[in-house]
Amino acid sequence: MPSMTDPRFSQTITFICTHNEDGAMGIVLNRPSEHNVADLLAQIHLEPKPAPFLKNHIYEGGPVQQERGFVLHIPNQEYDSTLLINDALSLTTSKDILEAAANNQAPEKMMIALGYAGWSAGQLEEEMGLNAWLSVEMLDPQALHQIIFDEPPANRLNLGMSIMGLNLGNLSDIAGHA
């Protein structure tokens, strides 16, 4: 929401990967870092074969465990540590997906982030009750892929708002409760 004052989340769109009685975990989708995939692979001593995806940005996925990598991707195969989120998206945290990418065997669509957004049990629900966040249930895999993989990062928040039928410029930064 426009009233979000936390600079780590102001003007962001975050995909919630897991949400259960223990809390929630998500990846910020529209904060590209200054680093690209080639930089990351070099840092972990992988020598990639030439590929266009090496120029893709690494994203700032959130303020928690920023030294750890999280890869959102289409579920083409399972890696050592893969969570199948739904039929359209998986999350992998193991190095083997990066090794596959270095050998041009990466998933067709993937987004790499360092860090994640995390909420303890009940925290996200409390923030939703305070109108800190808007939420939309993403049922259409094509729209989900468009936001995460296809749309330029600067357009992702507006696309998410558009899917909800909203315009960010029309929202007030003062929330009420009905």
Side-chain angles (χ1 to χ4, degrees):
M1 290 290 290
S3 60
M4 174 63 74
T5 57
D6 186 335
R8 299 171 297 178
F9 297 109
S10 178
Q11 299 289 306
T12 63
I13 182 166
T14 303
F15 178 74
I16 302 300
C17 301
T18 62
H19 186 203
N20 57 38
E21 65 276 353
D22 297 324
M25 178 269 182
I27 302 292
V28 174
L29 302 177
N30 62 333
R31 288 271 169 89
S33 74
E34 59 189 37
H35 303 289
N36 62 29
V37 175
D39 297 335
L40 175 66
L41 295 179
Q43 186 176 8
I44 60 173
H45 309 292
L46 291 175
E47 293 188 29
K49 295 179 180 176
F53 81 91
L54 295 173
K55 295 179 182 177
N56 291 355
H57 286 283
I58 301 296
Y59 288 79
E60 297 174 6
V64 182
Q65 292 188 355
Q66 293 177 325
E67 71 288 348
R68 189 168 173 206
F70 298 85
V71 183
L72 284 170
H73 59 92
I74 59 172
N76 66 331
Q77 72 181 65
E78 198 169 303
Y79 299 91
D80 288 341
S81 182
T82 298
L83 168 69
L84 181 64
I85 297 170
N86 57 36
D87 291 340
L89 202 59
S90 291
L91 177 72
T92 295
T93 58
S94 52
K95 185 178 176 182
D96 58 336
I97 192 170
L98 299 177
E99 292 166 344
N103 289 312
N104 287 334
Q105 297 173 351
E108 180 183 334
K109 294 185 178 192
M110 66 180 210
M111 176 193 149
I112 302 172
L114 295 177
Y116 69 93
W119 294 265
S120 60
Q123 182 182 3
L124 183 57
E125 292 82 356
E126 181 180 330
E127 290 180 15
M128 295 289 291
L130 295 171
N131 294 319
W133 298 94
L134 284 173
S135 68
V136 61
E137 187 170 332
M138 189 63 65
L139 300 177
D140 177 10
Q142 287 181 317
L144 182 61
H145 284 185
Q146 184 179 2
I147 288 176
I148 295 173
F149 305 117
D150 303 333
E151 195 69 22
N155 298 344
R156 291 176 183 171
L157 177 60
N158 287 331
L159 178 58
M161 298 296 284
S162 173
I163 288 170
M164 289 188 285
L166 300 172
N167 180 322
L168 188 61
N170 294 338
L171 295 176
S172 171
D173 62 351
I174 300 173
H177 298 278

